[in-house]
């Protein structure tokens, strides 16, 4: 039986979510994605028009099939949480059932259960502001979109996950060591995500035999990263200073994620796994 994977946070073919989807598809999984509501229209249109066909190519030459695209806004858990101005916003009004609870219900209705849950999303409205200048609401928004969203996804999806299933999220080393420029509470949000990975691994392990890990990924020029503004500098810094002096490919993170959610990693849970060309191990480079 092919495994089913729900990947939250895919809206183009540049990010880690897309690469993880491809690696899982190459390993034989059925791919369902959750796409941020404001990005849904352009993503579905681009898919339909074949704009991603080149990057849908799998190693065996076939094209990755996305079985279904679900609209999702992971900062809202249920319809009661959605403020009026969002409900009536024209980018949202055209879609329905996009809160986390409703998305899980929709997946359950369509497919019954899943095996793999991927969280590949983050948002921090004040990411370009230093932490010292971040507002309370900006900080809480970063935590809501980037950390609590993972708790919420697990809360609603664990009940429909088959025992032995696994989940994975993406984090960044700014959680542990200072990276000037990764502001707005995003460093705090990643620290929370890593800590939560340990606690959730215990709870989901005991509750449903579900594993929970996070990948601390090196820099990638994704859409989200470009919005931060310093990604080219980080990529260059990594190239110069990491043990492995090569470009970090999204596919390398995709492959590591596929390993971590597979039975090959059946004893790994609660871990933060670095996929960063080894950069995290360096103090001073020469
Ligand atoms: P990306 O732009 O491909 O992915 C981020 C996705 O989050 C987008 O598809 C966006 O639409 C979605 N999103 C934002 N707010 C959302 C919400 N409220 N509900 C649902 N979806 C929402 O960029 P990426 O860099 O591949 O990011 C994926 C993950 O990887 C993030 O957690 C990011 O922090 C992490 N990461 C990225 C890097 C990097 O250098 N790019 C490094 C380490 C970790």
């Amino acid at each position: 039986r092919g495994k089913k994977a729900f990947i939250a946070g895919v809206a183009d073919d540049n990010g880690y979510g897309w690469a993880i989807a491809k690696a899982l598809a190459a390993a034989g999984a059925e791919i369902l994605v959750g796409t941020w509501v404001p990005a849904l229209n352009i993503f579905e249109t681009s898919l339909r028009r074949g704009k991603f066909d080149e990057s849908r190519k799998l190693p065996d030459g076939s094209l990755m099939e996305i079985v279904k695209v679900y609209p999702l806004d992971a900062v809202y858990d249920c319809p009661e949480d959605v403020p009026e101005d969002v409900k009536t916003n024209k980018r949202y009004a055209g879609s329905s059932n996009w809160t986390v609870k409703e998305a899980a219900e929709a997946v359950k209705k369509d497919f019954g259960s899943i095996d793999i849950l991927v969280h590949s999303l983050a948002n921090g409205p004040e990411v370009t502001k230093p932490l010292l200048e971040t507002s309370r609401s900006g900080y809480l928004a970063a935590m809501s979109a980037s950390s609590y969203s993972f708790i919420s996804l697990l809360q609603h999806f664990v009940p429909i996950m088959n025992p032995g299933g696994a989940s994975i999220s993406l984090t960044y080393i700014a959680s542990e060591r200072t990276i000037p420029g990764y502001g707005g509470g995003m460093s705090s949000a990643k620290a929370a995500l890593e800590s939560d990975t340990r606690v959730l691994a215990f709870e989901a392990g005991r509750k449903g035999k579900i594993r929970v890990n996070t990948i601390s990924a090196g820099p990638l020029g994704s859409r989200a990263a470009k919005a931060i503004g310093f990604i080219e500098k980080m990529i260059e810094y990594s190239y110069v200073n990491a043990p492995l002096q090569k470009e970090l490919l999204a596919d390398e993170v995709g492959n590591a994620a596929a390993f971590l959610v597979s039975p090959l990693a059946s004893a790994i849970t609660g871990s933060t796994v670095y996929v960063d060309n080894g950069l995290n191990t360096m103090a001073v480079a020469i």
Side-chain angles (χ1 to χ4, degrees):
R1 190 184 58 86
K3 292 191 176 172
K4 284 188 275 295
F6 181 80
I7 301 152
V10 179
D12 59 39
D13 59 350
N14 292 319
Y16 283 134
W18 178 270
I20 293 170
K22 275 180 76 174
L24 294 176
E30 274 185 65
I31 305 302
L32 318 175
V33 306
T35 300
W36 195 29
V37 187
L40 183 72
N41 227 328
I42 176 135
F43 179 63
E44 287 196 303
T45 307
S46 304
L47 254 185
R48 206 170 43 238
R49 295 198 181 147
K51 201 183 147 215
F52 300 138
D53 283 0
E54 199 49 46
S55 33
R56 281 172 62 209
K57 265 213 189 98
L58 300 176
D60 71 356
S62 68
L63 296 190
M64 167 172 71
E65 278 308 327
I66 296 179
V67 179
K68 190 158 177 182
V69 178
Y70 292 86
L72 177 71
D73 194 321
V75 303
Y76 303 111
D77 302 313
C78 56
E80 299 75 56
D81 291 350
V82 183
E84 206 50 43
D85 60 320
V86 174
K87 237 178 253 173
T88 54
N89 181 306
K90 72 174 191 317
R91 292 196 295 176
Y92 282 81
S95 303
S96 52
N97 299 324
W98 40 259
T99 65
V100 177
K101 181 170 183 270
E102 293 168 292
E105 283 167 359
V107 170
K108 181 179 182 186
K109 188 164 157 274
D110 293 342
F111 298 97
S113 65
I114 62 166
D115 304 281
I116 297 163
L117 175 68
V118 179
H119 176 281
S120 182
L121 62 98
N123 204 2
E126 296 182 16
V127 66
T128 57
K129 280 194 196 165
L131 189 56
L132 193 54
E133 290 164 28
T134 296
S135 72
R136 186 181 299 268
S137 69
Y139 182 91
L140 293 176
M143 296 292 282
S144 173
S146 313
S147 313
Y148 188 79
S149 56
F150 186 50
I151 300 178
S152 180
L153 277 170
L154 273 176
Q155 200 173 96
H156 292 95
F157 278 86
V158 162
I160 66 162
M161 286 178 78
N162 296 314
S167 65
I168 192 100
S169 70
L170 275 307
T171 186
Y172 187 44
I173 198 172
S175 60
E176 309 169 50
R177 289 201 271 281
T178 306
I179 299 193
Y182 197 72
M186 279 307 300
S187 57
S188 329
K190 291 306 193 188
L193 183 66
E194 290 169 28
S195 178
D196 296 345
T197 296
R198 295 182 280 274
V199 178
L200 294 167
F202 172 73
E203 295 178 0
R206 294 296 175 91
K207 188 168 182 182
K209 297 190 164 63
I210 305 298
R211 294 183 298 106
V212 183
N213 292 294
T214 188
I215 289 177
S216 186
L220 173 78
S222 64
R223 188 187 167 102
K226 284 182 179 140
I228 305 173
F230 69 162
I231 190 66
E232 295 310 329
K233 241 163 110 181
M234 291 299 109
I235 291 171
E236 174 65 15
Y237 181 90
S238 177
Y239 190 87
V240 172
N241 294 297
L244 300 176
Q245 289 197 301
K246 61 174 185 61
E247 186 188 355
L248 176 69
L249 303 175
D251 287 347
E252 295 178 291
V253 169
N255 289 338
F259 158 68
L260 285 169
V261 300
S262 82
L264 293 173
S266 56
I268 303 177
T269 194
S271 290
T272 298
V273 177
Y274 297 94
V275 183
D276 65 349
N277 284 329
L279 184 64
N280 73 93
T281 62
M282 302 301 296
V284 175
I286 24 170

